[in-house]
Amino acid sequence: MDASRDIVIPKEFEFGSDDDVLVLESGRPFGPITVRYETYGTLDKAASNAVLLLHAFSGDAHAAGYLSGEESRPGWWDSMVGPGKPFDTDRYFVICSNVLGGCRGTTGPGSIDPASGAPYGLSFPVVTIGDMVNVQERLVTRLGIKRLLAVAGGSMGGMQALQWTVSYPARVASAIILATTARPSAQAIAFNAVGRNAIMSDPRWRGGAYYGHEPPARGLAIARMVGHITYLSDASMHAKFGRRLQERDEFGFDFSDQFEVESYLEYKGGTFVDRFDANSYIYLSKAIDYFDLEGKYGSLERAFANAVSKFLVVSYTSDWLYPSYQSKEIVVALMRQEKDVSYTEIDSPFGHDSFLIETERQGRMISSFLQTAQRGEEER
Amino acid sequence: MTDDRITNRFSYDEIARLVAPGSHVLDLGCGSGDLLDLLRRTRGVTGRGVDIQEEMIRACLEKGISVFQGDLDEGLKEYRSQSYDYVILNETLQMIHDPVYLMNEMLRVGKRVIVNFPNFGYVVNRLQLAWLGQMPVNRTLPYEWYDTPNIHFCTRRDFVRLCDSIGAIIEAAVDLRRNRRVAGIFANFAATDCCFVLRKQESRV
């Protein structure tokens, strides 16, 4: 065991069993809900240094550090979260929770329905990005935090961060919005649809009631492969794989040939099924597809009309899943509403995944932005 | 106060004098945000910058200045008319592909426009062109013709003619020779840099 490692202890928070049920955006009351979360750093006396991280589609509450001395890799944003890092745990109290509908400790379709004693499966309600944020609001309130110094996230996490500034404007001093959109395009929805179809077409899916049986691993692996393609770019795939073959130099003119990119996708799909629930894939991808601030509020400008947070919006040139123009739409709507917003487009070849990779470049901006936000709070 | 005499840039203190306290400012081509920072500290302005380079965005954020990474050649179509007290274009006009389009956009978005540029009519430029027969390269125009961001040079007189033709009223002018003021009547000859405060002429109905 490596003694130098910061071991993080995940925590759980429960609510919604009695009169504090959560009313979902669909109108359905839902509870009880368990929330898995992790925290890093120390909450100051005034509870004014809290930063809420919002994870992306396949992320979880484990943003930084190690859960045990044996864990091979740290949390998903460990490069950004820690002492002296952009989300500096010497300055900020950083919180990350698993989303509603997920499968990494927070209540989701794989959780046991207390009414039936069996996993929810498809009887789990359809949840939205707004519902996820409402759950996070309960957690933040429970932690004694009236106002967050910042909410921050990329991709689906960016959607939640945007939703926070709209749902709870006075409780968010600043928002860091990376590689996201205020409404996924038809193209983005199409890829999610292929993923859901792959899962639902797997006979092992059994209409979602596969718990206690073999899970629809093949369907989920294919869904993940499709998803993974959308996270990369032409340039990054070319650099990483080119047209190289795995394990041979020439075509064998049979179907045992594999291009390196194929075996990589197989690998990514295969490892994903060990840590992800197929039904959560369906629910979370649907939540993304439903997300539409423009449709919900009539226009983006109207959506942000009551927002009072400072915004930092970052897009990446090679991200074709949520291209820069979609970030610019967010920025323009905020500017036209006279909101305090900064925007940068980082020239990066890593596609949608850039926000997980361009740590150094985005990190310096995020670090400055957070410090400005903190100064602003002190002067408030 | 910054000492602009040691650099080639147009005196920020002179620009600051042109800006009313407490106003709302849009700085186009804001660079590292030094001008906005000065205006914020000495004039109490609110505002934002626009620049095309990532390093400049980073530098602005380090100063706590809100900034948009964008290309001025795309214009200001996303900005509401008359939404800023001042739109500033500092030492950037000569780098713009379509300066007339941008000037009109600035006059639409800003109640006042502050614009400065190197005066191609400055006597040393004229002498280099006339006597040496070569493109001016000197302290205020330090670039060779083949390696310059400056694609649209004009003289002070050219600029005044442009203002007239697009219905921009000149409210004030500051003419500097290496950041010391020169008298208006000699300005097209003696100024290295010229700065104008403009507003849009009321449209005649």
Side-chain angles (χ1 to χ4, degrees):
Chain A
M1 183 167 158
D2 184 349
S4 68
R5 283 184 166 185
D6 290 328
I7 304 299
V8 188
I9 299 169
K11 303 176 188 85
E12 284 190 352
F13 153 62
E14 283 172 38
F15 73 98
S17 40
D18 316 304
D19 52 351
D20 60 343
V21 294
L22 185 78
V23 178
L24 299 171
E25 203 174 325
S26 61
R28 181 169 156 186
F30 184 70
I33 294 170
T34 301
V35 182
R36 169 84 58 93
Y37 68 100
E38 295 183 13
T39 66
Y40 323 90
T42 310
L43 187 64
D44 63 17
K45 279 211 176 90
S48 64
N49 66 335
V51 174
L52 179 66
L53 303 182
L54 295 325
H55 71 75
F57 181 73
S58 60
D60 54 28
H62 185 37
Y66 294 84
L67 292 173
S68 70
E70 288 78 39
E71 198 182 21
S72 62
R73 292 174 64 187
W76 58 271
W77 229 9
D78 190 75
S79 56
M80 292 285 289
V81 183
K85 294 178 184 173
F87 295 102
D88 187 347
T89 49
D90 289 336
R91 300 174 73 116
Y92 312 118
F93 177 64
V94 180
I95 309 159
C96 187
S97 66
N98 187 220
V99 294
L100 180 67
C103 52
R104 307 280 294 164
T106 294
T107 303
S111 306
I112 301 292
D113 178 356
S116 68
Y120 284 103
L122 287 203
S123 71
F124 190 78
V126 169
V127 296
T128 64
I129 299 291
D131 294 329
M132 296 172 189
V133 165
N134 289 340
V135 169
Q136 291 152 5
E137 188 274 335
R138 301 280 186 113
L139 169 65
V140 165
T141 302
R142 172 68 65 94
L143 293 173
I145 298 156
K146 291 200 175 66
R147 188 169 152 91
L148 290 160
L149 175 63
V151 293
S155 195
M156 188 182 88
M159 296 175 192
Q160 295 163 66
L162 285 173
Q163 186 67 55
W164 260 97
T165 69
V166 170
S167 296
Y168 303 100
R171 299 187 63 181
V172 184
S174 70
I176 298 164
I177 312 285
L178 313 175
T180 198
T181 178
R183 55 161 173 189
S185 65
Q187 177 181 252
I189 294 169
F191 283 106
N192 282 343
V194 173
R196 286 191 294 269
N197 264 292
I199 293 167
M200 292 172 160
S201 307
D202 187 328
R204 289 179 170 162
W205 183 58
R206 299 165 187 257
Y210 53 80
Y211 302 105
H213 304 271
E214 280 289 308
R218 192 63 201 155
L220 179 59
I222 294 170
R224 180 59 172 174
M225 290 184 204
V226 173
H228 209 84
I229 295 167
T230 67
Y231 306 151
L232 302 177
S233 72
D234 183 33
S236 65
M237 284 179 129
H238 178 75
K240 213 165 181 170
F241 316 111
R243 290 185 46 85
R244 287 188 300 278
L245 293 174
Q246 190 80 3
E247 292 172 357
R248 52 170 75 173
D249 298 323
E250 287 173 20
F251 294 160
F253 296 97
D254 58 34
F255 296 104
S256 66
D257 275 348
Q258 270 205 329
F259 288 94
E260 271 186 18
V261 64
E262 288 182 276
S263 77
Y264 173 81
L265 289 174
E266 282 288 352
Y267 171 77
K268 282 284 170 187
T271 55
F272 189 64
V273 299
D274 296 334
R275 67 180 176 93
F276 216 82
D277 178 52
N279 282 337
S280 278
Y281 197 105
I282 293 170
Y283 277 87
L284 297 185
S285 67
K286 199 71 185 177
I288 290 172
D289 293 352
Y290 274 176
F291 186 64
D292 181 1
L293 286 179
E294 198 172 326
K296 190 171 173 193
Y297 296 90
S299 72
L300 260 189
E301 280 189 59
R302 216 173 297 163
F304 293 126
N306 296 320
V308 287
S309 316
K310 278 175 67 69
F311 289 81
L312 173 64
V313 179
V314 183
S315 69
Y316 305 84
T317 48
S318 57
D319 181 356
W320 55 272
L321 184 60
Y322 303 139
S324 287
Y325 79 87
Q326 295 177 8
S327 285
K328 277 189 197 168
E329 285 172 1
I330 295 167
V331 174
V332 165
L334 287 166
M335 282 197 317
R336 291 178 67 94
Q337 288 284 323
E338 300 290 335
K339 308 300 179 187
D340 185 345
V341 54
S342 288
Y343 168 69
T344 184
E345 181 185 28
I346 292 184
D347 189 358
S348 166
F350 302 113
H352 184 61
D353 265 349
S354 296
F355 79 96
L356 296 169
I357 299 170
E358 291 288 4
T359 310
E360 161 73 21
R361 288 157 80 190
Q362 72 190 15
R364 288 176 63 180
M365 298 199 222
I366 288 170
S367 170
S368 301
F369 178 78
L370 278 172
Q371 286 172 36
T372 304
Q374 197 172 37
R375 272 200 305 277
E377 287 299 279
E378 281 159 10
E379 288 161 13
R380 203 165 160 261
Chain B
M1 287 281 165
T2 47
D3 187 354
D4 300 302
R5 276 168 301 182
I6 59 170
T7 66
N8 285 320
R9 71 188 193 187
F10 194 93
S11 165
Y12 287 179
D13 294 333
E14 290 284 1
I15 297 173
R17 271 182 215 119
L18 299 170
V19 174
S23 46
H24 193 43
V25 173
L26 178 64
D27 184 1
L28 303 178
C30 63
S32 56
D34 289 331
L35 175 59
L36 272 173
D37 194 36
L38 179 80
L39 292 175
R40 206 170 48 171
R41 285 186 283 108
T42 64
R43 283 290 189 253
V45 306
T46 57
R48 55 168 37 253
V50 179
D51 208 277
I52 198 167
Q53 291 186 59
E54 184 180 319
E55 306 92 87
M56 299 305 170
I57 305 301
R58 192 163 57 221
C60 285
L61 289 171
E62 278 165 11
K63 295 184 180 75
I65 288 167
S66 298
V67 64
F68 178 87
Q69 189 171 2
D71 184 352
L72 296 179
D73 283 324
E74 290 171 13
L76 305 174
K77 54 187 178 297
E78 313 293 4
Y79 294 79
R80 286 184 199 282
S81 294
Q82 304 289 288
S83 54
Y84 285 87
D85 295 314
Y86 297 91
V87 176
I88 298 177
L89 187 69
N90 177 38
E91 294 186 355
T92 304
L93 181 70
Q94 71 278 5
M95 302 177 190
I96 299 296
H97 275 106
D98 189 346
V100 175
Y101 170 65
L102 186 62
M103 287 276 289
N104 279 319
E105 280 284 87
M106 292 193 295
L107 288 162
R108 176 182 65 78
V109 171
K111 292 169 190 154
R112 299 275 187 290
V113 165
I114 297 177
V115 55
N116 62 33
F117 53 89
N119 173 26
F120 205 72
Y122 172 54
V123 60
V124 172
N125 298 338
R126 296 187 195 202
L127 289 173
Q128 285 190 338
L129 192 55
W131 291 97
L132 299 176
Q134 63 190 39
M135 286 296 282
V137 177
N138 52 56
R139 199 147 34 137
T140 43
L141 299 178
Y143 304 102
E144 291 286 355
W145 65 272
Y146 49 80
D147 182 25
T148 174
N150 301 328
I151 55 176
H152 279 118
F153 278 127
C154 67
T155 67
R156 187 185 192 282
R157 180 169 295 168
D158 291 327
F159 186 81
V160 171
R161 277 170 48 222
L162 173 66
C163 290
D164 194 43
S165 73
I166 63 173
I169 294 170
I170 297 171
E171 289 200 332
V174 176
D175 301 294
L176 302 180
R177 182 178 168 278
R178 303 221 178 94
N179 283 327
R180 290 176 195 280
R181 288 195 182 222
V182 296
I185 45 168
F186 304 116
N188 195 40
F189 199 75
T192 54
D193 299 271
C194 305
C195 182
F196 292 84
V197 181
L198 312 172
R199 70 178 158 82
K200 183 100 187 123
Q201 199 169 43
E202 303 298 325
S203 56
R204 282 164 240 134
V205 184

